[in-house]
Amino acid sequence: MNIDTIRQETRGLSDGKIFLNNAGSSLMPSIVVDSMIDYLELEEQLGGYEVAAKNAEVLEEFYDETARLINAKPSHIAFATSATEAYAKALSSIVFKEGDVIITTADDYISNQITFISLQKKLKVNIIRTKNLPDNELDIEDLENLIKKHNPKLIAVTHIPTNSGLIQNVEAVGKLCRQYDILYLVDACQSVGQLPVDVKKIGCDFLSATGRKFMRGPRGTGFLYVSDKILEQDYAPLLLDMRGADWTEFNDYELFKTAKRFESWEMSYASLMGFTHALQYANNIGLHAIEHYNKGLSERLRENLKNNGFNVWDWGKNLSSIVTFSDPDGDLGRIQNILKENNIFFSVTQKNSALIDFTRKNINGIVRLSPHYFNTVDEIDTVSDVLKKAL
């Protein structure tokens, strides 16, 4: 992995910024942007239908590259306009009845939690959250006890919460789901692109992800993985269109065999093209190399922050390239100001986005830095020195 080449291929770094908001929306490689511009210029001249037909073979590479990324088959992959859309389509394919149980975690993403509550309000589905151990890891024993007691319809886990660096033990959850034959949905929005994600090891039925974060793709892109079991048992989104089924009788249709049944017919093919190049870019570097490099950056950043007197809020044994912290007084404004003054890109998470986790930690918000493989050790140390002055 040649960092100098990667940085040269990231035009967004040319103005001297230090970009550490990859968990929000990363910087695209030049090949991603250029491929989208070229595609749109063709659409300008020929129209969308003609250009899609001319590029049909290239556009199909999206399914191959995504399958390569997560160790699946191309037939398991559906394009989505976001991880949220992918997640919602997966949920909508499950026929929930009053009294059904969804087991999730205290650290699931805010939009997922709101979706569960919506299902609770509209369909009388029960939401149960499994416990965390004192070290913040998932309590797998408690989860199994909940499964035995409640016989859930679905277990849903966010692989890496957006509000901390914790990597949740999705493989252990998957083993229980297979053992008890329970549907399993994984939100991999923050993990895909920064570390290896293997759906065979996880054992999930659905996995949703976005393009804009650590994948370094364009906004308006994402994907959904669906397992053979889901396809064979004819799960499909509640609201299908002609991308998902063939109209065979006046009042009947026949589902298509692949995960494309979870797509909508209309999509931005320029965005699909760009996302395909982002997938190729990450696959060519290799996710194991990316994970190893990112781990070094994030560990160095956490250690520097702790040594400089900041409170670091990433609790757990296995941590990712998301670093969350605050100063001892909880004053986020002071940190934000000095980062902005020094052209350092970051994000802030308030309590309403992580209500359970931040209540447990007794904090109202955090600053989040999320380094990626185009960042350097020198940048990490520069940011650390800048923040030290804030105190």
Side-chain angles (χ1 to χ4, degrees):
M1 189 168 68
N2 190 318
I3 303 301
D4 290 336
T5 299
I6 291 168
R7 290 179 67 85
Q8 290 169 11
E9 294 171 346
T10 306
R11 290 192 291 259
L13 296 173
S14 61
D15 60 358
K17 71 170 67 72
I18 298 179
F19 194 88
L20 294 173
N21 191 19
N22 297 287
S25 188
S26 189
L27 299 180
M28 292 179 282
S30 56
I31 191 171
V32 172
V33 179
D34 292 343
S35 69
M36 294 175 69
I37 292 172
D38 291 345
Y39 194 96
L40 286 171
E41 288 178 342
L42 275 177
E43 283 194 341
E44 180 185 28
Q45 297 299 320
L46 304 177
Y49 281 17
E50 186 72 18
V51 177
K54 286 179 177 291
N55 287 275
E57 188 174 331
V58 177
L59 292 168
E60 279 295 306
E61 292 179 9
F62 161 77
Y63 303 95
D64 298 326
E65 291 295 336
T66 307
R68 178 184 168 197
L69 183 79
I70 62 171
N71 192 24
K73 299 175 185 176
S75 59
H76 292 154
I77 305 302
F79 176 77
T81 59
S82 66
T84 300
E85 185 206 19
Y87 201 86
K89 285 198 170 185
L91 281 174
S92 80
S93 72
I94 303 169
V95 180
F96 289 104
K97 299 176 182 177
E98 183 174 343
D100 281 343
V101 171
I102 297 174
I103 295 179
T104 186
T105 74
D107 288 291
D108 255 54
Y109 180 51
I110 174 177
S111 290
N112 302 347
Q113 299 277 15
I114 290 173
T115 299
F116 300 147
I117 296 168
S118 177
L119 288 171
Q120 184 180 54
K121 289 177 177 290
K122 294 176 180 178
L123 300 179
K124 309 301 182 185
V125 171
N126 296 316
I127 306 165
I128 297 174
R129 298 179 181 92
T130 191
K131 294 178 182 177
N132 291 77
L133 296 169
D135 61 4
N136 213 40
E137 296 291 324
L138 285 178
D139 189 333
I140 300 302
E141 183 178 345
D142 177 64
L143 176 59
E144 184 168 16
N145 290 335
L146 291 174
I147 290 171
K148 291 176 179 178
K149 181 177 180 181
H150 297 285
N151 187 28
K153 186 94 169 192
L154 173 72
I155 292 178
V157 178
T158 294
H159 194 181
I160 298 177
T162 190
N163 50 280
S164 79
L166 175 68
I167 303 175
Q168 304 210 93
N169 191 352
V170 291
E171 290 185 23
V173 176
K175 289 178 182 177
L176 287 178
C177 290
R178 290 193 297 273
Q179 179 182 343
Y180 291 95
D181 192 23
I182 300 164
L183 291 173
Y184 184 27
L185 169 59
V186 174
D187 178 345
C189 198
Q190 294 289 9
S191 55
V192 164
Q194 69 153 305
L195 49 82
V197 174
D198 187 328
V199 292
K200 291 182 180 177
K201 290 182 179 179
I202 295 171
C204 53
D205 296 297
F206 300 99
L207 182 138
S208 61
T210 188
R212 77 175 193 271
K213 297 180 185 289
F214 289 96
M215 279 308 309
R216 303 185 65 199
R219 294 197 74 174
T221 61
F223 68 82
L224 177 68
Y225 159 84
V226 296
S227 68
D228 281 328
K229 180 177 83 172
I230 294 300
L231 295 175
E232 291 165 2
Q233 294 182 8
D234 287 345
Y235 282 79
L238 177 63
L239 301 176
L240 281 163
D241 71 7
M242 62 185 184
R243 184 73 168 178
D246 184 28
W247 192 15
T248 56
E249 303 287 346
F250 285 1
N251 291 303
D252 202 5
Y253 59 78
E254 183 176 333
L255 286 173
F256 292 140
K257 300 299 183 183
T258 72
K260 287 182 180 179
R261 72 175 69 150
F262 284 83
E263 296 180 348
S264 297
W265 186 81
E266 184 56 42
M267 65 179 74
S268 167
Y269 283 94
S271 298
L272 177 62
M273 178 68 79
F275 192 19
T276 301
H277 281 288
L279 289 156
Q280 290 170 341
Y281 198 90
N283 279 332
N284 289 340
I285 294 173
L287 271 297
H288 288 284
I290 291 171
E291 179 189 33
H292 177 75
Y293 185 81
N294 284 2
K295 189 175 181 64
L297 293 180
S298 58
E299 287 180 349
R300 188 181 187 95
L301 179 56
R302 283 192 188 93
E303 193 63 27
N304 287 351
L305 289 169
K306 291 176 183 177
N307 290 339
N308 290 340
F310 289 93
N311 293 324
V312 176
W313 297 106
D314 305 315
W315 296 355
K317 296 178 182 176
N318 195 13
L319 300 179
S320 72
S321 197
I322 294 178
V323 179
T324 63
F325 68 101
S326 62
D327 71 19
D329 299 328
D331 182 1
L332 301 184
R334 181 167 49 187
I335 298 173
Q336 292 179 71
N337 289 337
I338 197 165
L339 290 174
K340 289 176 181 177
E341 289 167 4
N342 286 273
N343 205 19
I344 298 166
F345 283 62
F346 63 98
S347 65
V348 173
T349 301
Q350 302 291 348
K351 188 173 183 177
N352 65 329
S353 291
L355 193 57
I356 300 173
D357 183 43
F358 284 7
T359 298
R360 180 176 57 204
K361 292 174 178 175
N362 194 28
I363 53 176
N364 291 317
I366 49 89
V367 174
R368 185 181 69 183
L369 299 176
S370 44
H372 207 6
Y373 60 87
F374 56 69
N375 292 120
T376 66
V377 173
D378 285 345
E379 286 182 323
I380 296 301
D381 289 343
T382 296
V383 171
S384 302
D385 289 342
V386 164
L387 286 168
K388 184 178 180 179
K389 295 174 183 176
L391 293 183

